[in-house]
Amino acid sequence: LLLHQRGRDRTTWNALALRLQAAGYAVLAVDQRGHGETGGAEDWTLAQEDARAALSMLSELPGIAPGQISVIGASVGANLGLNACAGLPGCAAAVLLSPGLDYRGITTAGAIQITKGILDGLDYAHQHGYSHCDIKPDNILLTQEGAGGIPKITDWGLSEHAGEKTGAACTAFTPWYAAPEQIAPEQYGLPGPATDLYQVGVLLYLMLTRTHPFAGTDTDSTCRMILNDRPDPPSAYRPDLAPLDAVLLKCLARSQKD
């Protein structure tokens, strides 16, 4: 799905669309409200709903499997695309050209709100002695309630109770969302509540930058990066995220004590 910037229309994507089609991708470029053939006035609030509806429609097409849909947006189209992609579990990626925290009222606060909902759920679990240990996009479902949906945490198959730690979660994890203690428990201890916070940090980093903090080419290289490398601050990808650098890097600290 291609979402153009203000003052342009869907034809601004023609050259890129042709290259994507030549590479085997199906492409849908749409005119934002008040642009191109839509007529009428600009309405970015409704344009946000249009973007969500377009992605939802694509996800329901025959032969389209979860993870086969992506969005590319420019300027305000980047904000629209990020919010729409964050609200669709089957959206694999978003390429954002010049996004902002607030562009004509279209904010990227949706990612923050989703994260808050996940943290609220984990706080309840932690208070009852349970850690999830496998927080990742596939295990977060969004209801249709509210403006951006309410996150629900699913698949507690790797969860452990504080009084019954076995270390089983150390050998069963998703590499790109694994915490150091899941890879090297002998060095970093057994998984626990801090593991969930680390994984939420990875998830928020991904939602805001559309890049994994540790993106190896395979399981081994990813695990080595998690254990040895320091992630780039989010502001390296989006300067407007500088206020979030400290909290996200704290979430991704290797030691659970940090």
Side-chain angles (χ1 to χ4, degrees):
L1 176 65
L2 306 180
L3 301 172
H4 64 78
Q5 64 268 52
R6 183 172 183 260
R8 300 295 182 89
D9 60 32
R10 68 179 186 272
T11 63
T12 195
W13 295 112
N14 282 353
L16 176 62
L18 290 173
R19 296 186 67 175
L20 289 172
Q21 290 173 329
Y25 293 94
V27 178
L28 172 64
V30 298
D31 284 329
Q32 310 284 11
R33 292 187 181 237
H35 297 73
E37 297 180 7
T38 63
E42 291 181 353
D43 190 323
W44 298 110
T45 300
L46 290 179
Q48 182 67 85
E49 297 306 314
D50 294 340
R52 291 191 176 105
L55 282 184
S56 178
M57 180 270 293
L58 292 175
S59 71
E60 295 172 0
L61 291 176
I64 301 297
Q68 291 185 324
I69 300 173
S70 299
V71 59
I72 301 175
S75 192
V76 67
N79 282 27
L80 296 171
L82 174 61
N83 290 336
C85 189
L88 182 72
C91 185
V95 178
L96 310 177
L97 308 176
S98 299
L101 287 178
D102 188 333
Y103 196 105
R104 295 190 173 270
I106 302 301
T107 72
T108 52
I112 305 297
Q113 287 302 111
I114 290 173
T115 303
K116 181 181 182 301
I118 296 171
L119 289 172
D120 287 343
L122 289 173
D123 181 55
Y124 181 85
H126 294 169
Q127 289 182 37
H128 289 77
Y130 286 93
S131 301
H132 188 280
C133 297
D134 197 23
I135 297 296
K136 58 183 179 181
D138 289 352
N139 290 340
I140 304 297
L141 302 181
L142 291 176
T143 72
Q144 294 183 346
E145 305 169 71
I150 297 175
K152 303 293 183 181
I153 305 171
T154 65
D155 192 355
W156 290 77
L158 296 184
S159 64
E160 293 202 340
H161 192 275
E164 302 173 353
K165 282 192 174 182
T166 65
C170 296
T171 57
F173 56 81
T174 305
W176 287 268
Y177 299 92
E181 59 269 20
Q182 292 177 291
I183 301 169
E186 69 286 351
Q187 182 177 355
Y188 294 102
L190 294 179
T195 305
D196 291 340
L197 297 181
Y198 181 97
Q199 293 175 337
V200 170
V202 175
L203 192 60
L204 179 58
Y205 191 106
L206 176 61
M207 284 194 291
L208 292 174
T209 68
R210 308 314 299 178
T211 302
H212 279 278
F214 303 104
T217 57
D218 53 30
T219 297
D220 288 344
S221 63
T222 298
C223 289
R224 285 196 299 270
M225 292 176 69
I226 291 171
L227 295 179
N228 299 299
D229 294 352
R230 181 179 174 84
D232 292 327
S235 60
Y237 300 95
R238 285 179 50 190
D240 60 311
L241 293 177
L244 297 178
D245 281 350
V247 67
L248 275 171
L249 293 179
K250 183 175 179 63
C251 286
L252 298 175
R254 279 195 286 271
S255 171
Q256 295 189 58
K257 296 179 181 178
D258 295 334

PDB file of all heavy atoms in Angstrom, residues 213-225:
ATOM      1  N   PRO A 213      16.162  -3.903  16.716  1.00  0.00           N
ATOM      2  CA  PRO A 213      17.400  -3.405  17.335  1.00  0.00           C
ATOM      3  C   PRO A 213      18.580  -4.339  17.097  1.00  0.00           C
ATOM      4  O   PRO A 213      19.728  -3.907  17.061  1.00  0.00           O
ATOM      5  CB  PRO A 213      17.048  -3.311  18.825  1.00  0.00           C
ATOM      6  CG  PRO A 213      15.876  -4.216  19.017  1.00  0.00           C
ATOM      7  CD  PRO A 213      15.121  -4.175  17.725  1.00  0.00           C
ATOM      8  N   PHE A 214      18.292  -5.643  16.950  1.00  0.00           N
ATOM      9  CA  PHE A 214      19.342  -6.627  16.656  1.00  0.00           C
ATOM     10  C   PHE A 214      18.859  -7.463  15.472  1.00  0.00           C
ATOM     11  O   PHE A 214      18.130  -8.447  15.647  1.00  0.00           O
ATOM     12  CB  PHE A 214      19.611  -7.525  17.868  1.00  0.00           C
ATOM     13  CG  PHE A 214      20.000  -6.755  19.101  1.00  0.00           C
ATOM     14  CD1 PHE A 214      19.092  -6.565  20.128  1.00  0.00           C
ATOM     15  CD2 PHE A 214      21.271  -6.215  19.235  1.00  0.00           C
ATOM     16  CE1 PHE A 214      19.442  -5.859  21.267  1.00  0.00           C
ATOM     17  CE2 PHE A 214      21.628  -5.500  20.370  1.00  0.00           C
ATOM     18  CZ  PHE A 214      20.712  -5.319  21.384  1.00  0.00           C
ATOM     19  N   ALA A 215      19.248  -7.083  14.285  1.00  0.00           N
ATOM     20  CA  ALA A 215      18.732  -7.727  13.085  1.00  0.00           C
ATOM     21  C   ALA A 215      19.831  -8.524  12.401  1.00  0.00           C
ATOM     22  O   ALA A 215      20.442  -8.074  11.420  1.00  0.00           O
ATOM     23  CB  ALA A 215      18.150  -6.690  12.131  1.00  0.00           C
ATOM     24  N   GLY A 216      20.094  -9.705  12.912  1.00  0.00           N
ATOM     25  CA  GLY A 216      21.073 -10.574  12.274  1.00  0.00           C
ATOM     26  C   GLY A 216      20.491 -11.252  11.052  1.00  0.00           C
ATOM     27  O   GLY A 216      19.289 -11.191  10.793  1.00  0.00           O
ATOM     28  N   THR A 217      21.346 -11.907  10.304  1.00  0.00           N
ATOM     29  CA  THR A 217      20.889 -12.594   9.091  1.00  0.00           C
ATOM     30  C   THR A 217      20.320 -13.967   9.386  1.00  0.00           C
ATOM     31  O   THR A 217      19.641 -14.549   8.551  1.00  0.00           O
ATOM     32  CB  THR A 217      22.047 -12.735   8.086  1.00  0.00           C
ATOM     33  OG1 THR A 217      23.135 -13.429   8.725  1.00  0.00           O
ATOM     34  CG2 THR A 217      22.529 -11.353   7.647  1.00  0.00           C
ATOM     35  N   ASP A 218      20.624 -14.504  10.581  1.00  0.00           N
ATOM     36  CA  ASP A 218      20.096 -15.804  10.973  1.00  0.00           C
ATOM     37  C   ASP A 218      20.077 -15.861  12.501  1.00  0.00           C
ATOM     38  O   ASP A 218      20.429 -14.894  13.180  1.00  0.00           O
ATOM     39  CB  ASP A 218      20.926 -16.953  10.390  1.00  0.00           C
ATOM     40  CG  ASP A 218      22.424 -16.824  10.712  1.00  0.00           C
ATOM     41  OD1 ASP A 218      22.765 -16.248  11.773  1.00  0.00           O
ATOM     42  OD2 ASP A 218      23.244 -17.295   9.910  1.00  0.00           O
ATOM     43  N   THR A 219      19.661 -17.012  13.043  1.00  0.00           N
ATOM     44  CA  THR A 219      19.530 -17.145  14.494  1.00  0.00           C
ATOM     45  C   THR A 219      20.852 -16.907  15.208  1.00  0.00           C
ATOM     46  O   THR A 219      20.922 -16.157  16.189  1.00  0.00           O
ATOM     47  CB  THR A 219      18.989 -18.543  14.855  1.00  0.00           C
ATOM     48  OG1 THR A 219      17.678 -18.688  14.306  1.00  0.00           O
ATOM     49  CG2 THR A 219      18.919 -18.722  16.366  1.00  0.00           C
ATOM     50  N   ASP A 220      21.924 -17.527  14.730  1.00  0.00           N
ATOM     51  CA  ASP A 220      23.222 -17.407  15.404  1.00  0.00           C
ATOM     52  C   ASP A 220      23.731 -15.973  15.418  1.00  0.00           C
ATOM     53  O   ASP A 220      24.191 -15.472  16.455  1.00  0.00           O
ATOM     54  CB  ASP A 220      24.252 -18.321  14.735  1.00  0.00           C
ATOM     55  CG  ASP A 220      24.006 -19.793  15.020  1.00  0.00           C
ATOM     56  OD1 ASP A 220      23.244 -20.085  15.970  1.00  0.00           O
ATOM     57  OD2 ASP A 220      24.552 -20.643  14.300  1.00  0.00           O
ATOM     58  N   SER A 221      23.677 -15.300  14.275  1.00  0.00           N
ATOM     59  CA  SER A 221      24.189 -13.926  14.223  1.00  0.00           C
ATOM     60  C   SER A 221      23.331 -12.986  15.062  1.00  0.00           C
ATOM     61  O   SER A 221      23.848 -12.059  15.702  1.00  0.00           O
ATOM     62  CB  SER A 221      24.258 -13.431  12.779  1.00  0.00           C
ATOM     63  OG  SER A 221      22.974 -13.386  12.184  1.00  0.00           O
ATOM     64  N   THR A 222      22.023 -13.231  15.092  1.00  0.00           N
ATOM     65  CA  THR A 222      21.135 -12.403  15.910  1.00  0.00           C
ATOM     66  C   THR A 222      21.454 -12.584  17.392  1.00  0.00           C
ATOM     67  O   THR A 222      21.545 -11.606  18.149  1.00  0.00           O
ATOM     68  CB  THR A 222      19.667 -12.744  15.641  1.00  0.00           C
ATOM     69  OG1 THR A 222      19.357 -12.474  14.265  1.00  0.00           O
ATOM     70  CG2 THR A 222      18.741 -11.923  16.531  1.00  0.00           C
ATOM     71  N   CYS A 223      21.649 -13.822  17.810  1.00  0.00           N
ATOM     72  CA  CYS A 223      21.975 -14.087  19.215  1.00  0.00           C
ATOM     73  C   CYS A 223      23.313 -13.469  19.599  1.00  0.00           C
ATOM     74  O   CYS A 223      23.464 -12.924  20.699  1.00  0.00           O
ATOM     75  CB  CYS A 223      21.980 -15.591  19.479  1.00  0.00           C
ATOM     76  SG  CYS A 223      20.332 -16.343  19.466  1.00  0.00           S
ATOM     77  N   ARG A 224      24.282 -13.518  18.709  1.00  0.00           N
ATOM     78  CA  ARG A 224      25.585 -12.889  18.996  1.00  0.00           C
ATOM     79  C   ARG A 224      25.435 -11.382  19.159  1.00  0.00           C
ATOM     80  O   ARG A 224      26.055 -10.775  20.040  1.00  0.00           O
ATOM     81  CB  ARG A 224      26.581 -13.214  17.884  1.00  0.00           C
ATOM     82  CG  ARG A 224      27.131 -14.635  17.919  1.00  0.00           C
ATOM     83  CD  ARG A 224      28.369 -14.758  17.043  1.00  0.00           C
ATOM     84  NE  ARG A 224      28.083 -14.464  15.651  1.00  0.00           N
ATOM     85  CZ  ARG A 224      27.701 -15.372  14.760  1.00  0.00           C
ATOM     86  NH1 ARG A 224      27.546 -16.637  15.131  1.00  0.00           N
ATOM     87  NH2 ARG A 224      27.468 -15.034  13.508  1.00  0.00           N
ATOM     88  N   MET A 225      24.613 -10.778  18.319  1.00  0.00           N
ATOM     89  CA  MET A 225      24.399  -9.339  18.423  1.00  0.00           C
ATOM     90  C   MET A 225      23.725  -8.980  19.747  1.00  0.00           C
ATOM     91  O   MET A 225      24.096  -8.001  20.400  1.00  0.00           O
ATOM     92  CB  MET A 225      23.546  -8.850  17.245  1.00  0.00           C
ATOM     93  CG  MET A 225      24.240  -8.922  15.894  1.00  0.00           C
ATOM     94  SD  MET A 225      23.153  -8.447  14.524  1.00  0.00           S
ATOM     95  CE  MET A 225      22.967  -6.691  14.856  1.00  0.00           C
TER      96      MET A 225
END
